[in-house]
Amino acid sequence: AIGDLLNGEERHVVARFGFPAQHGQDGRVVRARVLWVDDDGERSTDWQEVRFSYATNDACEREVHDPAVMHWVGLHQADRAHREAIKLSQAGDLRGAREELKKVATSISGYAGEDNELQASIAELTSVEQEMVNAPLAPAASKEMLFRHQNRSRGQKDHRGGKGHPPA
């Protein structure tokens, strides 16, 4: 569920899924469609199908990535890493939190290229990792970070305004 959209609002959806082991199959087909409700009732798009083939890890690594897709994948990956690191930090697992942030920063740096938003996300992941060297994040900082990353990953703007809360 994406939630309500304002007039002219755009949200990017990143879907993550995995496939079972190959076991002699050539590939898998994923079917999807979009459903929504407006003043005329429930509506939907036609079903779309995408076929995925099994490949070796080397073949996957050589695959050319679409920079626009990787932009949104990277932002969502960073948001998820921040949320996971906050959870680990609050549970007292600073090492696990730092490892999660470092792992994701390294992953994103592999495809970020010149994308300014992804470069900023890498810098933020690294900065938060360094903040957690000796102590968990302060509760207020954790709460604010969690809010920002949940909003961004859902494509929602921060409408709070005021000092310390710039529009997202």
Side-chain angles (χ1 to χ4, degrees):
I2 296 172
D4 293 336
L5 298 175
L6 300 173
N7 185 26
E9 187 176 3
E10 181 178 301
R11 298 222 185 128
H12 296 267
V13 177
V14 175
R16 179 181 179 163
F17 52 92
F19 298 109
Q22 185 173 1
H23 297 301
Q25 296 181 0
D26 292 336
R28 297 284 181 162
V29 174
V30 174
R31 290 174 28 108
R33 67 180 178 163
V34 177
L35 302 167
W36 70 95
V37 177
D38 63 14
D39 293 339
D40 297 327
E42 185 173 289
R43 299 173 53 177
S44 67
T45 63
D46 292 333
W47 283 99
Q48 303 291 313
E49 291 188 358
V50 178
R51 180 165 181 68
F52 291 90
S53 300
Y54 286 95
T56 65
N57 286 338
D58 288 340
C60 291
E61 291 298 322
R62 287 191 307 270
E63 186 177 26
V64 177
H65 298 289
D66 180 332
V69 170
M70 297 313 292
H71 170 85
W72 295 106
V73 167
L75 293 179
H76 281 267
Q77 192 177 18
D79 291 336
R80 190 174 59 248
H82 281 286
R83 290 190 307 267
E84 181 63 21
I86 289 167
K87 186 171 92 177
L88 291 167
S89 171
Q90 289 173 340
D93 184 2
L94 294 180
R95 181 176 177 200
R98 292 183 69 221
E99 287 174 0
E100 177 68 17
L101 294 166
K102 188 173 190 164
K103 175 184 77 172
V104 172
T106 300
S107 174
I108 294 171
S109 68
Y111 57 80
E114 300 297 317
D115 186 312
N116 291 334
E117 279 189 89
L118 290 182
Q119 292 296 338
S121 288
I122 294 166
E124 184 180 13
L125 289 163
T126 302
S127 173
V128 173
E129 180 210 348
Q130 292 305 310
E131 286 179 43
M132 286 192 220
V133 170
N134 296 314
L137 294 172
S142 292
K143 186 175 181 180
E144 176 63 24
M145 186 183 305
L146 183 61
F147 176 81
R148 282 188 302 111
H149 289 285
Q150 284 177 328
N151 267 15
R152 186 172 79 174
S153 69
R154 290 190 303 240
Q156 296 175 310
K157 295 190 183 323
D158 184 351
H159 295 287
R160 294 177 297 172
K163 186 177 179 181
H165 303 292

